[in-house]
Amino acid sequence: MVDASGTVASSRAARRGTGARGRGRPRDPGLEERTRLVALELFGKRGFSGLTIDEVAATAKIGKSSIYLRWPDKQTLLADALRGIQGADPSQASTGTDHDANEQTTPEPQTLRDYLLAHVHRRADLYLGPYGLAMLRLYVEARAYPELFGAIREQAISRLVLDERERVTQAVRAGVLPPDAAPVRILDAVEGAIFMHLLVTPPELLDRVRAGLDDYVERMVDDQLRAAGYDAQADAERVRRLSPPGS
């Protein structure tokens, strides 16, 4: 019973700790990120058929129930993880980065050349990074299992490609590229060049490729833009017009 002063209830509360969450382990703030990254590592090494929730849980040292509370199946987990490593900013291409949903920032105007240079470096960073094998695996498995990987491909690849095509299309509308320039072919050439450059390099030569990457990317992008009829002077003038005063 509780006496008039509430002594018994106060004693019980003290034993549990004031404001405590009650029984159970405290929330692990790194659990979700760790789970995603382990899923990417295992997918890269073994493919989708070799990816299991059991092994993700064992490797990440978490309970399966904690995984299922957040992702209903391994397909949902993998899609979430793949989407997370394709951040617009290479420094934030991590599955654990959260952004304020209400925070809206207006990107600084940039030339098409600068946009493509940043794009190619993002792709190179992704392919050369710790989860590059997962991205390469995705391209193969999306072709082999189109129904299974349809949603994952849409989230991790297609939307990004459409955004890139729109950016090149804007350059055509602005007169920076000639009216007959084809955004699809331009991006295919740029994306394909960096993909093949890294794909065919033997592992023992990757350090050499990294060392010369800046020069390779600049020359390759300039070659493609020159062939497409890019007007660098008009693009620079467009950026100056769009930039805020005093910037």
Side-chain angles (χ1 to χ4, degrees):
M1 293 180 63
V2 180
D3 60 21
S5 64
T7 301
V8 175
S10 298
S11 176
R12 289 175 179 170
R15 287 198 301 269
R16 286 196 297 264
T18 303
R21 294 179 47 177
R23 297 175 181 174
R25 295 180 180 178
R27 175 180 171 82
D28 179 354
L31 183 148
E32 293 184 2
E33 180 177 10
R34 191 164 71 252
T35 304
R36 293 185 188 102
L37 297 185
V38 167
L40 289 171
E41 181 182 0
L42 294 176
F43 172 68
K45 292 178 178 178
R46 301 180 185 177
F48 189 73
S49 61
L51 176 67
T52 67
I53 295 295
D54 284 347
E55 189 165 7
V56 170
T59 305
K61 295 180 173 57
I62 59 177
K64 285 197 300 181
S65 60
S66 295
I67 296 178
Y68 284 120
L69 280 173
R70 294 160 176 81
W71 302 278
D73 49 45
K74 68 177 185 178
Q75 181 175 349
T76 306
L77 168 58
L78 183 59
D80 189 25
L82 287 165
R83 184 173 58 248
I85 61 172
Q86 302 223 34
D89 182 345
S91 68
Q92 296 176 348
S94 164
T95 58
T97 302
D98 294 323
H99 299 283
D100 186 346
N102 297 321
E103 182 182 355
Q104 295 183 353
T105 58
T106 302
E108 290 290 330
Q110 62 180 162
T111 65
L112 177 62
R113 180 180 185 272
D114 287 342
Y115 172 84
L116 290 177
L117 288 174
H119 161 68
V120 174
H121 275 292
R122 285 196 299 270
R123 303 308 285 176
D125 288 344
L126 187 57
Y127 296 140
L128 289 171
Y131 306 105
L133 187 57
M135 282 303 303
L136 298 179
R137 178 80 69 174
L138 172 60
Y139 296 138
V140 175
E141 302 238 4
R143 178 66 64 87
Y145 308 104
E147 293 184 2
L148 178 63
F149 278 84
I152 295 178
R153 182 181 177 85
E154 171 66 20
Q155 293 176 3
I157 300 177
S158 300
R159 292 178 186 175
L160 184 66
V161 170
L162 291 176
D163 288 344
E164 293 160 357
R165 288 179 184 173
E166 175 57 26
R167 178 62 181 81
V168 179
T169 299
Q170 289 173 5
V172 176
R173 296 194 195 106
V176 171
L177 289 170
D180 60 348
V184 172
R185 290 198 296 271
I186 292 172
L187 287 169
D188 282 354
V190 170
E191 179 83 30
I194 192 64
F195 182 82
M196 288 301 299
H197 184 59
L198 300 177
L199 183 65
V200 301
T201 300
E204 64 272 15
L205 298 181
L206 285 177
D207 285 342
R208 182 187 302 176
V209 168
R210 289 187 180 94
L213 192 61
D214 288 349
D215 182 64
Y216 173 84
V217 170
E218 287 206 19
R219 290 174 180 269
M220 182 268 291
V221 168
D222 285 340
D223 286 345
Q224 299 302 332
L225 287 177
R226 189 181 306 111
Y230 174 63
D231 189 335
Q233 184 174 351
D235 202 6
E237 179 59 33
R238 179 189 64 86
V239 169
R240 280 194 293 269
R241 292 196 307 269
L242 294 175
S243 298
S247 61

